[in-house]
Amino acid sequence: EAQVTQNPRYLITVTGKKLTVTCSQNMNHEYMSWYRQDPGLGLRQIYYSMNVEVTDKGDVPEGYKVSRKEKRNFPLILESPSPNQTSLYFCASSRSGGDTDTQYFGPGTRLTVL
Amino acid sequence: AQSVTQPDIHITVSEGASLELRCNYSYGATPYLFWYVQSPGQGLQLLLKYFSGDTLVQGIKGFEAEFKRSQSSFNLRKPSVHWSDAAEYFCAVRMDSNYQLIWGAGTKLIIKP
């Protein structure tokens, strides 16, 4: 089954404790992206990747890191989480990121930083 | 700046009634337009998209949307809603070549029995 998976689905942590949210897709997509969703703000893009070893900042990259060492995986790293990073995070992928490509979304990771 | 506006935060309709969710964008050229649905506790699923051609596009689950260039709008419609349509709906546009999607804030649809 074609899908985007994220782990963990739920995470409660404390300020400053490094964490990684994994994202994996099995569709051989080149383009992957991370979003955060906050009430009243819709989705805001954190980082995206056009292909292996190619990443770029989205609208709200501060406090986040990503890597794309292999095509299927695109982990999101919070080196020193803070409470303002409490949010719902979505990973997405698409074939090439082109204008007509549909993005497929993972189920989301709800992160709470205390 | 480029933006997407969904003016209704919540909409309540009765089951079986018709539905229209509004979406407006600000951009000089024709963007690529999308509607996504997010059911409670779920990720986002594409309902439909518009790139060019016929301005009335059909999507999944009986939804359709109409692109109106003169109004910079891409409103989502359904003739008769079902209780299972209760969800949050997001309009998104892709306006330039960096492949970023610009998202509206979402409209939460509540269905009255």
Side-chain angles (χ1 to χ4, degrees):
Chain A
E1 180 190 352
Q3 60 182 350
V4 179
T5 57
Q6 295 178 226
N7 281 293
R9 293 289 312 278
Y10 302 90
L11 179 60
I12 301 173
T13 190
V14 295
T15 298
K17 186 176 180 181
K18 180 180 179 180
L19 66 93
T20 299
V21 184
T22 64
C23 172
S24 182
Q25 50 91 8
N26 62 0
M27 295 170 277
N28 202 37
H29 284 169
E30 292 183 353
Y31 180 91
M32 297 186 75
S33 179
W34 275 103
Y35 294 91
R36 60 178 289 173
Q37 182 182 20
D38 301 289
L41 296 177
L43 278 81
R44 294 178 292 168
Q45 191 176 47
I46 302 170
Y47 270 94
Y48 63 96
S49 169
M50 298 299 293
N51 213 325
V52 175
E53 302 292 2
V54 180
T55 63
D56 209 345
K57 296 177 181 178
D59 296 317
V60 288
E62 295 76 22
Y64 304 94
K65 282 175 55 177
V66 293
S67 69
R68 187 91 183 272
K69 293 187 171 58
E70 46 189 344
K71 203 173 196 179
R72 62 182 294 125
N73 296 323
F74 190 45
L76 179 69
I77 302 154
L78 284 72
E79 295 270 5
S80 183
S82 62
N84 64 12
Q85 292 178 298
T86 293
S87 187
L88 179 58
Y89 292 86
F90 287 101
C91 180
S93 73
S94 63
R95 185 169 50 87
S96 70
D99 293 339
T100 61
D101 281 350
T102 299
Q103 288 197 26
Y104 295 86
F105 285 81
T109 295
R110 187 166 291 282
L111 172 66
T112 302
V113 183
L114 302 174
Chain B
Q2 300 157 353
S3 65
V4 178
T5 303
Q6 292 180 248
D8 304 304
I9 299 174
H10 299 100
I11 280 189
T12 302
V13 299
S14 299
E15 190 168 15
S18 63
L19 170 71
E20 183 169 31
L21 302 181
R22 296 182 289 166
C23 173
N24 294 93
Y25 63 90
S26 64
Y27 187 56
T30 301
Y32 298 100
L33 300 154
F34 305 80
W35 273 101
Y36 282 82
V37 60
Q38 184 180 26
S39 298
Q42 303 295 313
L44 289 98
Q45 182 183 23
L46 180 71
L47 281 176
L48 48 78
K49 57 188 177 183
Y50 171 79
F51 299 135
S52 64
D54 192 346
T55 56
L56 184 65
V57 294
Q58 302 298 321
I60 62 171
K61 305 185 183 193
F63 286 91
E64 66 179 25
E66 186 172 13
F67 168 59
K68 291 186 178 179
R69 185 191 308 273
S70 61
Q71 298 177 18
S72 297
S73 69
F74 188 56
N75 294 347
L76 182 72
R77 301 195 294 245
K78 186 169 185 178
S80 176
V81 297
H82 185 261
W83 65 266
S84 60
D85 293 324
E88 191 156 18
Y89 292 80
F90 292 91
C91 179
V93 302
R94 182 177 286 130
M95 299 181 180
D96 53 32
S97 61
N98 72 356
Y99 309 128
Q100 277 190 275
L101 279 175
I102 312 293
W103 294 81
T107 298
K108 193 165 189 174
L109 175 63
I110 301 163
I111 307 293
K112 284 192 303 186

